[in-house]
Amino acid sequence: MQVKHLIVFALAGIVLLLGFNMINGSRHEQNIAVAVNNDLPEQSTDAAVNEPDISSNQSVDVASKPLGEQPKAIIDNVTTQIDRAQQVDKERLEQMDSAQ
């Protein structure tokens, strides 16, 4: 194969990859927009009503802290979220056990 053929194939591959990246990026942005628009709180279960919305005020709390305390604040927020998720899971298991 001649060098000019390799160059043509390489350029064609680069163009195809760039096109794929642009299409995939626009889909990703559309998916994010749809997810943001559909971010309504569910009130179908008691557990969903009891859970506070921690996503909106947690980012403000972390951003307002000094840079030296932000990693600790992030870890504290994640630990709190994990604890709440475990509590909700425990409550659901108790509800399932009491229903049987």
Side-chain angles (χ1 to χ4, degrees), residues 37-75:
N37 290 337
N38 290 338
D39 191 21
L40 299 174
E42 295 180 14
Q43 295 183 354
S44 61
T45 62
D46 293 333
V49 173
N50 292 336
E51 292 181 38
D53 184 22
I54 58 175
S55 61
S56 61
N57 58 2
Q58 297 270 334
S59 61
V60 174
D61 294 338
V62 172
S64 65
K65 295 199 181 273
L67 287 176
E69 295 178 8
Q70 283 184 359
K72 183 182 181 314
I74 292 171
I75 291 174

Side-chain angles (χ1 to χ4, degrees), residues 51 78-94:
E51 292 181 38
V78 170
T79 304
T80 304
Q81 291 174 357
I82 290 171
D83 291 341
R84 288 181 183 162
Q86 288 175 343
Q87 181 65 29
V88 168
D89 189 36
K90 182 180 175 183
E91 290 174 359
R92 288 180 183 163
L93 286 173
E94 289 174 357

Side-chain angles (χ1 to χ4, degrees), residues 8 29 48 59 64 82 85 96 99-100:
V8 169
E29 290 174 2
S59 61
S64 65
I82 290 171
M96 289 174 52
Q100 291 178 354

